[in-house]
Amino acid sequence: MVQAFEQKTPETERAHEANGEDRWIPSACSMCYGTCSILAHRVNGVVTKIEGNPASEIGKGRLCAKGISGIMTLYDPNRVNVPLRRTNPKKGVGVDPGWKEITWDEALDEIAARLRKVRAEDPRKLFLQRTTTNTTIGPICHAFCHAFGTMNQWVAGGGLHCGNGAHLISGIMHASWSIVPDFEHCQYAVYFGASKGHAAGHASCSNMGLAADARVRGMKMVVVDPMCNFAAAKANEWVPIRVGTDAALALAMAHVLVNELGIWDAPYLASKTNAPYLIGPDKLYVRDAETQEPLVWDATAGRARPYNAEKLGQEPLGELALEGEYEAQGVRCRPAFACLKEHLARHTPEWAEPITTIPAATIRRLGQEFGREARVGSTIVIDGVRLPYRPVAAIAFRGSEGHRNAVYNFLAIDLLNHLVGAADVVGGCLGFNPVCHGHPETKRPAYVPYAGPDGLMVTGSWMVPHLPYPFEYPRMPKSMGFNELFPLGMSSPLMASADQEERWQRFDLPYRPEVMINIGCNSVMSVGNSETVINTLLRIPFIVSFDLFRTELSDLADIVLPDMSYLEQLDSKPNYPFIFNLPGGMGDWCWAVRQPLIEPVAERRQMNQVLLELAERVGISEDINMALNALLKLQPPFTLKGSQQYSFAEVCDQHLKSNFGPRHDLAWFKEHGVLSWPKKPQEVYWRPFVEVRVPIYWEYLKRVGDQARALAEPRGLHLPEEFYDPLPTWLPCPGHECSDEQFDLYGFYYRDTIHTNSLTQENAWLDETAQLDPNSYYIAMNAETGKKKGLHDGDWVWMETVKGRRVRGRVHLTQGMHPEGLGIGGCAGHWTDGMPVARGKGVFFNQLLEIDMDHASPVNLNLDLCVKVRLRRCEEA
Amino acid sequence: MALVTIKLFGMLGAMAGTRDLQLELAEPAHLRDALDALEARFGPEFRQRIMRNPRALQTYLRIFVNETEVTDLDTVLQINGLPTEVSLMLLPAAEGG
């Protein structure tokens, strides 16, 4: 059944036969970024089966269909096996690159020469692009870029579509990359365009088990989504919503809580948020004249005082006012909560109904249920520790925040948690492991959030070097993506947008990208319409692409390098940081490794090792060693020294010993797979134990907006002021503003549970499964809407945008779709002959998306992923 | 005088045009003094890249004194007359996902 492409030599064959090898080897999955722990069955050098590793908290022995199917990617006969050099200088879709096989030395010599040249001219001319799915490559890519001296790095569609809103705001509000219900104790979870525990992604298989157990236990689950998909199908209630309007629903629910029911957690708001901070008529904090600290109204003392009076050596604060109007520093002012309460009064269920299409009575009921189940004021004892008990959670992810109004959508949803004090307490909305006290022997890795400027929380751990808060205030951009202008954004459409060159000229960007290193990413398909992305790529003189298969992007490259799949790779930290990919809630801490399961095949090399070798050839070994010391937080004596050349295996070994002591080195981890130790309640339910506040009033959003607009508007970049108000509201997506009645449907894509975006489309088993699925390769459409248009199940249609972009596909008529919605699983529709299994399958939704600043959030740069379309019946493709 | 070796890695080295330099600082020398000396040599733009404000370092700057990461501007350099190596590296905003 499985054909092995292992390089068989007489020696290896004899060794296998003599040993009669039959082993289960621990490693880590990477068929999505959930990175569940696995056991691979290897028989005589051939991997014959993959299962979940029951010894690991990461997956707990479970493994989804994608994980099991990794074997088909490992042994796919279409893999790139040798370095390839383009011989045809002409580039374009359908143009034969004229690939010629070259040696690694030839490839690295040419790449290093190009890199040395641009580093001497301006290091920022290097642009690195990488996949977000393989978590192994993050630190080495950051290290290489920091060592080289370029900030121009991105994860293309994986970042632009994914978590610009969710991750930044989860970082600011929960000190974590994402949020999840406390499955063990939650009684009522509302999911807004999220599938945590039902599909793929962070702590995927662990969460699936936890979510299933929670449903059996009786947790009520409400899923708000245009499509009755993976999460909604298992929920108690599916609430169909017009795509991109989640903030309106969440704000109306918050209004019901605060203004109709009078439910809020006053002690939590007063001590753990900026709700008591006094706000002046300019919408900014009223600050103490001497210390410049924000003021609160001490109702006991009857006067305004700094929020941190005791730390300033003053007597402790009394009761803090959350409502009322006061005078301080010569201005009339109100607590932030009072401003929020008044603001919410405009966001009634009746206001939200025509925006969301959800009946006002349903919205009111959802708000009432959320407030009732929150049980504000209650406590519970966990492992002998008495803790606040708030068994409700409002969870959001890409479906609700993948829009131009990403920031307000996510803020409004998370506001529900904070109003009732259900943030990182028992039963509530949890960040993924924001507090870790470290392994009992070494106290590493250890991190705890702490108070930053204005007392607001700074996360103790983060995925990338720069923190979500505090951030730099906007300044003139020098990066390709203008990240300096958008401190609340991460991935920027300007890396591959239609207005890229125009924006760069207007902002006097002093260089252009000359060398691109692409690592496993297919931005031609993952960002938006391919025409725009290809035009940006054609302007880059030299492109190197590490790939498993020849993709639509690698067909535009100058050199293609054969990468190893995750089953061939080594990694000391597939699941770290814990804020990313370890299940939240009680249980165990668990550190896993990834290790090669077969001997090296053909000329494939792990890109981590190749980047280290390139660093040496470019003359930046000392810099990359220092960057790795900083990024991996290596401690003496396990730091990387001077310009010494390390193999990637040696880096992994130092990393593990630095965290867990010399006994727990790479060899130990390869043998045992995982190292576990128990979590403490004070780590999991940390909020009462850590003296930090989070904003329910985003005062600095106004300050950021004022500064960003001052820089941007004179250069023709319009950043609408309404996106920078300190309190969230609902603002329309570009699709909502389309007035042409012919375009009467909203197209959107969803993350298929069978595939991981474009990564797995070439996998033969998953392709076969997707062909059996009624939705995977189809356009899901409301059955009644389809009938009204005279369509039948399986009809071929053109899906067209106002801009004239179109894709063809077959409709699947279903009751599980909002009447205005058209759902497509992303990211299918490949056309390259390098991926023959994927070629011609499914619908390429992203082809409909415009890529420019007008279709991105002016705050966090999230590209809007819904688009107004019309359908036209057509003949079979 | 305190003799302090400075190593500017990555982007800082590219900005300064050099990776290695030596500073002579009046004793007792603190990290703040070393950064002041770097500003004097490389200008205010260099300082802006490493300082949020006069009291705080940029969050994406990593400073190591003899291999130990430090964040306090009052960190004493050249303790007991031992040679001190101060390494600075920027880990600026890159993309997430």
Side-chain angles (χ1 to χ4, degrees):
Chain A
M1 181 179 59
V2 175
Q3 186 183 0
F5 282 77
E6 179 183 4
Q7 270 189 328
K8 285 198 173 84
T9 63
E11 290 75 25
T12 57
E13 287 203 339
R14 271 198 299 276
H16 290 320
E17 284 166 11
N19 294 338
E21 187 197 47
D22 186 336
R23 290 181 60 198
W24 286 89
I25 304 168
S27 191
C29 188
S30 189
M31 290 296 278
C32 78
Y33 51 78
T35 318
C36 297
S37 297
I38 58 173
L39 290 172
H41 192 196
R42 191 174 73 189
V43 179
N44 294 333
V46 177
V47 178
T48 60
K49 193 177 188 196
I50 304 170
E51 295 184 355
N53 183 353
S56 172
E57 189 77 1
I58 310 153
K60 301 184 179 182
R62 303 175 186 88
L63 196 61
C64 73
K66 294 188 289 293
I68 290 165
S69 303
I71 201 167
M72 297 303 285
T73 302
L74 176 64
Y75 292 121
D76 192 316
N78 301 302
R79 289 274 301 272
V80 178
N81 281 324
V82 293
L84 300 171
R85 179 73 176 82
R86 167 183 289 277
T87 57
N88 183 356
K90 189 181 173 199
K91 293 181 179 179
V93 176
V95 177
D96 181 2
W99 294 120
K100 171 191 160 194
E101 293 186 7
I102 57 173
T103 66
W104 270 102
D105 265 341
E106 289 172 319
L108 294 179
D109 280 347
E110 182 172 354
I111 298 164
R114 292 274 188 165
L115 289 174
R116 282 193 296 270
K117 174 179 175 291
V118 297
R119 190 161 194 267
E121 293 168 357
D122 187 335
R124 296 170 298 184
K125 291 181 177 179
L126 171 64
F127 167 28
L128 190 145
Q129 171 175 288
R130 63 185 172 90
T131 174
T132 191
T133 311
N134 187 341
T135 55
T136 294
I137 66 177
I140 197 79
C141 289
H142 285 300
F144 190 86
C145 288
H146 297 319
F148 194 85
T150 182
M151 73 289 266
N152 293 317
Q153 183 193 164
W154 83 325
V155 284
L160 192 60
H161 293 201
C162 172
N164 262 355
H167 299 323
L168 259 296
I169 298 169
S170 293
I172 290 170
M173 304 301 282
H174 296 272
S176 176
W177 198 246
S178 290
I179 53 176
V180 71
D182 180 17
F183 286 116
E184 197 179 349
H185 298 283
C186 186
Q187 296 290 353
Y188 188 88
V190 190
Y191 275 41
F192 294 78
S195 62
K196 293 279 188 289
H198 303 84
H202 309 119
S204 173
C205 287
S206 308
N207 280 341
M208 284 190 229
L210 291 166
D213 290 346
R215 291 193 302 269
V216 170
R217 181 176 53 77
M219 178 183 85
K220 182 173 179 183
M221 189 162 161
V222 178
V223 173
V224 178
D225 200 302
M227 186 170 180
C228 184
N229 220 337
F230 316 112
K234 297 182 177 68
N236 300 76
E237 183 176 356
W238 169 47
V239 180
I241 188 170
R242 176 180 287 149
V243 66
T245 64
D246 303 71
L249 169 61
L251 290 167
M253 287 172 66
H255 162 78
V256 171
L257 285 176
V258 172
N259 289 318
E260 295 189 3
L261 302 174
I263 292 177
W264 64 82
D265 188 335
Y268 172 84
L269 289 168
S271 62
K272 298 293 180 184
T273 76
N274 67 353
Y277 289 18
L278 294 174
I279 307 299
D282 57 0
K283 299 186 178 182
L284 302 177
Y285 295 145
V286 179
R287 293 179 181 273
D288 180 61
E290 183 184 342
T291 64
Q292 287 302 301
E293 301 285 10
L295 292 170
V296 294
W297 189 260
D298 184 336
T300 309
R303 60 189 170 92
R305 303 178 60 200
Y307 78 95
N308 55 348
E310 200 169 353
K311 282 196 174 163
L312 295 171
Q314 302 174 16
E315 63 189 66
L317 291 164
E319 186 179 347
L320 304 188
L322 294 178
E323 298 188 76
E325 186 170 333
Y326 307 96
E327 185 163 328
Q329 303 293 332
V331 296
R332 299 298 293 173
C333 50
R334 292 182 300 161
F337 180 73
C339 300
L340 173 65
K341 193 177 176 198
E342 181 185 274
H343 176 79
L344 289 174
R346 299 195 293 274
H347 297 81
T348 63
E350 287 70 24
W351 164 82
E353 178 175 321
I355 297 171
T356 61
T357 72
I358 301 170
T362 302
I363 298 172
R364 192 163 273 111
R365 174 176 57 78
L366 293 173
Q368 290 166 348
E369 289 176 356
F370 193 88
R372 185 175 63 240
E373 292 289 353
R375 305 171 204 199
V376 172
S378 61
T379 59
I380 191 171
V381 175
I382 302 289
D383 288 358
V385 182
R386 182 164 292 282
L387 297 159
Y389 177 54
R390 302 285 184 280
V392 294
I395 303 300
F397 200 55
R398 213 271 308 153
S400 53
E401 61 93 53
H403 301 285
R404 192 163 186 249
N405 51 17
V407 171
Y408 283 164
N409 276 358
F410 200 91
L411 278 181
I413 294 163
D414 192 42
L415 183 62
L416 292 166
N417 298 315
H418 294 279
L419 284 172
V420 298
D424 305 292
V425 296
V426 181
C429 168
L430 302 182
F432 283 67
N433 310 296
V435 170
C436 180
H437 295 166
H439 186 268
E441 289 179 20
T442 59
K443 309 299 178 200
R444 287 177 53 79
Y447 53 85
V448 180
Y450 56 96
D454 297 337
L456 300 181
M457 180 172 70
V458 181
T459 184
S461 175
W462 197 236
M463 284 292 291
V464 289
H466 63 287
L467 299 173
Y469 181 85
F471 42 72
E472 270 194 287
Y473 277 89
R475 56 191 166 83
M476 273 295 283
K478 300 292 182 196
S479 64
M480 288 168 58
F482 286 12
N483 296 74
E484 303 91 334
L485 194 57
F486 299 96
L488 285 157
M490 289 196 291
S491 285
S492 166
L494 284 170
M495 306 296 266
S497 69
D499 56 351
Q500 181 188 71
E501 181 56 37
E502 177 199 340
R503 303 293 182 196
W504 289 349
Q505 285 184 22
R506 283 177 177 260
F507 282 77
D508 301 319
L509 193 76
Y511 62 92
R512 296 292 181 271
E514 286 194 13
V515 175
M516 177 189 192
I517 298 178
N518 175 66
I519 298 166
C521 180
N522 187 1
S523 59
V524 170
M525 296 191 68
S526 71
V527 178
N529 76 82
S530 59
E531 176 193 6
T532 296
V533 179
I534 289 169
N535 284 339
T536 65
L537 291 171
L538 292 177
R539 291 199 289 267
I540 301 175
F542 187 72
I543 298 176
V544 182
S545 192
F546 289 83
D547 285 306
L548 298 178
F549 306 97
R550 280 196 298 103
T551 69
E552 288 75 8
L553 183 141
S554 42
D555 283 350
L556 301 173
D558 295 273
I559 289 179
V560 175
L561 299 173
D563 201 1
M564 287 179 163
S565 79
Y566 72 98
L567 296 173
E568 301 161 275
Q569 291 181 351
L570 179 70
D571 185 16
S572 58
K573 49 164 282 307
N575 294 87
Y576 192 78
F578 293 145
I579 60 162
F580 178 67
N581 228 355
L582 188 77
M586 294 298 287
D588 282 348
W589 298 106
C590 185
W591 190 288
V593 297
R594 172 175 294 131
Q595 60 177 311
L597 300 173
I598 60 171
E599 293 178 24
V601 175
E603 295 293 320
R604 300 175 195 167
R605 291 187 188 179
Q606 185 169 354
M607 53 73 52
N608 305 54
Q609 182 62 47
V610 176
L611 283 190
L612 287 173
E613 189 168 340
L614 274 175
E616 185 187 26
R617 289 177 184 240
V618 175
I620 55 171
S621 289
E622 190 172 6
D623 302 74
I624 201 168
N625 286 348
M626 176 53 68
L628 285 166
N629 286 339
L631 292 165
L632 299 176
K633 298 185 185 302
L634 301 182
Q635 299 295 307
F638 304 110
T639 49
L640 308 180
K641 311 293 184 197
S643 58
Q644 188 174 327
Q645 182 71 14
Y646 292 89
S647 69
F648 186 63
E650 288 170 328
V651 174
C652 289
D653 188 53
Q654 296 290 87
H655 185 212
L656 293 166
K657 289 188 289 194
S658 176
N659 270 338
F660 302 111
R663 186 164 68 89
H664 294 114
D665 60 2
L666 180 59
W668 186 95
F669 272 93
K670 279 184 164 182
E671 182 183 348
H672 295 86
V674 296
L675 178 64
S676 303
W677 67 99
K679 290 180 181 175
K680 295 178 280 193
Q682 292 88 342
E683 293 173 309
V684 176
Y685 306 117
W686 55 275
R687 192 75 72 158
F689 304 101
V690 180
E691 203 172 321
V692 292
R693 295 173 183 269
V694 294
I696 55 115
Y697 182 96
W698 281 52
E699 187 249 13
Y700 51 69
L701 199 54
K702 175 169 169 46
R703 285 187 273 148
V704 167
D706 290 346
Q707 292 188 24
R709 281 198 314 282
L711 291 166
E713 299 282 347
R715 292 167 179 82
L717 178 56
H718 179 49
L719 304 178
E721 189 171 3
E722 61 266 29
F723 283 81
Y724 286 96
D725 196 84
L727 291 168
T729 189
W730 178 76
L731 296 169
C733 303
H736 297 129
E737 294 173 322
C738 172
S739 56
D740 189 332
E741 291 181 357
Q742 290 184 72
F743 296 83
D744 56 347
L745 297 167
Y746 290 95
F748 63 90
Y749 88 85
Y750 60 90
R751 287 180 168 181
D752 195 355
T753 193
I754 295 172
H755 280 300
T756 301
N757 308 324
S758 67
L759 175 80
T760 59
Q761 302 281 334
E762 173 62 17
N763 187 291
W765 286 355
L766 295 177
D767 170 57
E768 189 176 333
T769 310
Q771 291 190 51
L772 298 172
D773 185 270
N775 288 323
S776 275
Y777 290 158
Y778 283 72
I779 300 167
M781 180 179 195
N782 178 274
E784 284 302 311
T785 306
K787 274 185 201 167
K788 285 178 193 169
K789 291 182 177 293
L791 292 170
H792 300 91
D793 212 30
D795 279 355
W796 284 89
V797 294
W798 280 111
M799 198 169 163
E800 298 174 322
T801 72
V802 177
K803 298 274 189 179
R805 303 197 187 279
R806 63 180 194 168
V807 292
R808 185 159 47 183
R810 303 176 75 178
V811 293
H812 171 234
L813 301 185
T814 171
Q815 291 180 317
M817 177 59 72
H818 188 278
E820 300 170 352
L822 294 171
I824 295 174
C827 169
H830 289 257
W831 62 81
T832 178
D833 61 4
M835 297 172 67
V837 174
R839 189 177 184 184
K841 307 277 175 58
V843 181
F844 179 23
F845 171 80
N846 289 347
Q847 189 74 302
L848 303 173
L849 297 178
E850 301 301 321
I851 315 168
D852 56 41
M853 292 300 286
D854 292 339
H855 291 79
S857 162
V859 181
N860 76 347
L861 300 169
N862 221 113
L863 196 70
D864 207 301
L865 304 180
C866 66
V867 59
K868 208 73 181 284
V869 296
R870 67 182 174 191
L871 291 187
R872 291 187 185 198
R873 195 198 307 268
C874 66
E875 295 304 311
E876 185 174 340
Chain B
M1 299 292 278
L3 278 177
V4 179
T5 301
I6 302 285
K7 283 184 171 287
L8 303 174
F9 289 99
M11 196 172 292
L12 284 177
M15 277 180 77
T18 181
R19 182 192 284 154
D20 304 302
L21 61 152
Q22 295 272 339
L23 296 178
E24 284 190 12
L25 303 172
E27 294 193 68
H30 297 88
L31 179 59
R32 182 190 308 280
D33 303 320
L35 301 185
D36 287 345
L38 291 176
E39 183 194 4
R41 183 149 174 179
F42 299 118
E45 192 183 343
F46 185 92
R47 186 178 188 86
Q48 197 183 27
R49 297 298 288 152
I50 59 176
M51 303 291 291
R52 276 177 66 76
N53 59 51
R55 291 165 286 130
L57 300 167
Q58 294 286 12
T59 57
Y60 50 72
L61 174 69
R62 299 290 183 274
I63 300 181
F64 298 82
V65 175
N66 291 343
E67 289 195 71
T68 299
E69 186 170 354
V70 299
T71 55
D72 187 352
L73 287 167
D74 293 325
T75 300
V76 177
L77 306 179
Q78 200 164 21
I79 301 165
N80 299 328
L82 295 172
T84 303
E85 183 175 282
V86 179
S87 302
L88 289 88
M89 177 151 221
L90 288 182
L91 308 176
E95 308 295 320

